[in-house]
Structures are given as structure tokens and as C-alpha cells.
Amino acid sequence: MDNNNRYVNGVAHTGDVWYFPLGWQHSIQAIDAEDGCTTLLWFDDADGAGSINLSDMMAAYPDDILKASLNDIPTDIISEFPEKQNSVALGTIQDDRLEPSDYPLDLWPVFPVDKGSISDSGEGGVEYAVRQEQMLATLTMSGGRIELEEGGMRELHWHTNADELHYVLEGCVRNIVHSNIDFPATPAEEYTICAGDIGYVPKQFVHYLEAVGGPATVIATFNHPSWGTQGLSGMLSVTPAHVTSSTLTTSVEVAEKYFPKESTAFIKKKNQTAIDEEDDESEEE
């Protein structure tokens, strides 16, 4: 419900995302009687989970205020209200859902991730992104789902305008996070996280995601309505070879032969045998 008491009542399914702007009244109920529902909740600031809760409100105020607010409700009923926050309650499932208000919301709060923008350039992975361009309701946040084949990598990249928090839904991913702050005194940090783990990458820190030990699925979120990304392949594909070769103290010929010629979001690592064979062929040449 928005500030003008306009409301909607919808159902989100597996793979859907919802967004509630700060202060908008809302409730979430699992309606699968057998399996319930598991969701990930993200907030764009450290105090985001400090929500206004109905049970908190009732417990905080004296009886005379509640009686005036609730049509002179009897005191003995008030005494049955929870004395502390009841943020997760067991209720009943109603088949007759609320009809939307007469005036529609400006911002529809539910969106299927699979209808977001899709990035699958390169090989080894695909990204389903939900930015404000696709979901107008995302006023301060955005995110997406990254699916990686085993050995697939979300290439070395950095986000220009947002911090990243990612949750591993399935499998395991390896990552090395690098900042040029105090480097090389503080070396790049490597970690591997698996299903149920969370990783964090500050804005403009270089990183990648590599599926190890099998395929992996990662849910990423950003504290910006439309996060921006720049990658190594894009950088090298548009920067002249004489510049990149000078920076890396190698030859223009090496840059022209090995450096990417186009921007690709995903790459797939070759196994060591294939790498050794290519090295042998290069030495023979």
C-alpha cells in the first residue's frame, strides 16, 4: 500500500522478485500449504530490517489510545495482543484475495526475474538482470540471477556505481576481490563460498565469479536502482594495443593476438590438458 492508500494483492512465484519502497505497508504470506515458501530479503541500508510492525505498535501504546484507534475495542481483547514483536505469525490461507484498489499503483511491486534483461555473451553462463529499466518499482536497488556452468566465469569486472552482495543459491563459486587501495601491501583476497553463503564486493573493486566443483547459481543485489558494470574484455577491446601492451610491458603483437577483441560477460576456463597443448603449439611456432 502506498502513501495514498492505493494497494494491490498479488502472488509471487519461484523466480519472481518484489520490491517495497521505504515505509510502504506490506505483508508476505506463504500460500503453499505443503511446502511453504523460502525467500531472500535484502535491504539497502544497515537499519532496513527495523520495520514498523503491527504487533509492535499495539504493544507500545496504552489502552486508551488503542481503544480510541480501534472503535472502542474492549480492554480484555487488548490484553490478548502480543506484548512483543510477532513478526512471523501462523495464519490462514484465504482463496478470496483482495481486489486491487480503484486507482492502480504507480509502481507494480512484483516482477518475474526471467523477464528481465538477459546477458549471455561469451560462454559458460547467463545473467538475468532486473534494473529500474525493467521494473519501475526498484527505486533504490536492483539485482539479478547468475547461472554458471562448471568452470564458467563471470569475467573480471567491477561495478561503477554500486556495492554488490551475492548469495550462492546452488553450487560453489570462487572469487578474488581486488582493490587498488594500498596494493600490493594488501593483496587481493580469495575465497570460495557455497550454497547458503554470502559474499560482498564494494563498489569499484575488481572481482569475478567462477563455478567450481559443478554448476552454480548466484543471486546478486546492488544498492542502486540500475547498477553499472565494466569488464576486462570491454576495456581491452576498445583500448589501443600499443597502450595496453605498454602498460603490461609486452609487445603489440602479443596484445593483438591474445587480448579480447569484443566485450563478453562470460568465459569458460579450459582444462589444464588443453592449456598445456596450446602452450606446446605456441613454443613450436
Side-chain angles (χ1 to χ4, degrees), residues 1-3 6-8 18-22 24 103-111 132 134-140:
M1 183 180 71
D2 71 1
N3 297 330
R6 296 176 299 182
Y7 61 87
V8 295
W18 61 69
Y19 178 89
F20 303 126
L22 182 66
W24 284 29
Y103 299 95
L105 285 177
D106 294 328
L107 306 173
W108 186 261
V110 179
F111 186 86
Q132 194 175 53
Q134 293 86 37
M135 184 182 181
L136 295 177
T138 56
L139 301 180
T140 63

Side-chain angles (χ1 to χ4, degrees), residues 8-280:
V8 295
N9 185 69
V11 178
H13 301 275
T14 300
D16 291 352
V17 61
W18 61 69
Y19 178 89
F20 303 126
L22 182 66
W24 284 29
Q25 190 279 129
H26 60 277
S27 61
I28 304 166
Q29 182 182 36
I31 58 175
D32 188 319
E34 295 183 0
D35 297 328
C37 184
T38 301
T39 67
L40 295 175
L41 299 181
W42 309 91
F43 302 90
D44 63 354
D45 66 80
D47 299 322
S51 304
I52 300 172
N53 187 278
L54 178 61
S55 56
D56 278 351
M57 293 169 61
M58 297 299 102
Y61 290 94
D63 290 358
D64 63 315
I65 301 300
L66 297 184
K67 289 175 73 69
S69 302
L70 302 176
N71 295 311
D72 203 27
I73 187 172
T75 303
D76 59 344
I77 294 179
I78 296 176
S79 66
E80 297 175 356
F81 290 169
E83 296 181 356
K84 58 181 181 180
Q85 187 178 102
N86 187 26
S87 58
V88 180
L90 184 62
T92 58
I93 301 173
Q94 299 289 338
D95 291 330
D96 52 331
R97 310 191 195 288
L98 280 174
E99 293 295 328
S101 55
D102 293 336
Y103 299 95
L105 285 177
D106 294 328
L107 306 173
W108 186 261
V110 179
F111 186 86
V113 172
D114 291 344
K115 291 186 178 180
S117 62
I118 299 175
S119 175
D120 58 359
S121 60
E123 59 178 331
V126 62
E127 177 184 84
Y128 300 89
V130 179
R131 292 179 169 89
Q132 194 175 53
E133 295 93 290
Q134 293 86 37
M135 184 182 181
L136 295 177
T138 56
L139 301 180
T140 63
M141 301 176 68
S142 52
R145 185 177 77 239
I146 301 171
E147 298 176 355
L148 296 168
E149 302 173 12
E150 182 175 10
M153 292 175 53
R154 181 67 177 86
E155 72 153 353
L156 285 169
H157 64 283
W158 55 98
H159 302 296
T160 57
N161 58 0
D163 305 309
E164 174 182 344
L165 200 67
H166 50 257
Y167 174 88
V168 183
L169 190 64
E170 298 175 326
C172 296
V173 293
R174 179 185 294 127
N175 194 357
I176 295 177
V177 179
H178 161 68
S179 167
N180 60 1
I181 300 173
D182 196 33
F183 182 83
T186 302
E189 179 182 355
E190 177 178 351
Y191 61 86
T192 298
I193 56 178
C194 297
D197 295 335
I198 290 177
Y200 171 73
V201 182
K203 177 173 56 179
Q204 298 183 18
F205 277 39
V206 181
H207 60 287
Y208 71 99
L209 294 172
E210 176 193 358
V212 292
T217 302
V218 178
I219 304 296
T221 189
F222 303 89
N223 54 355
H224 190 282
S226 184
W227 87 89
T229 300
Q230 290 190 1
L232 177 65
S233 62
M235 168 195 280
L236 294 177
S237 67
V238 301
T239 305
H242 73 277
V243 174
T244 55
S245 61
S246 297
T247 302
L248 297 179
T249 62
T250 188
S251 66
V252 172
E253 291 74 21
V254 167
E256 291 177 341
K257 180 177 181 179
Y258 292 103
F259 293 179
K261 302 299 185 296
E262 61 181 359
S263 177
T264 55
F266 296 93
I267 55 179
K268 192 166 185 180
K269 290 176 65 176
K270 298 178 181 178
N271 58 47
Q272 190 59 47
T273 300
I275 294 175
D276 292 340
E277 290 176 351
E278 288 187 358
D279 288 343
D280 291 341

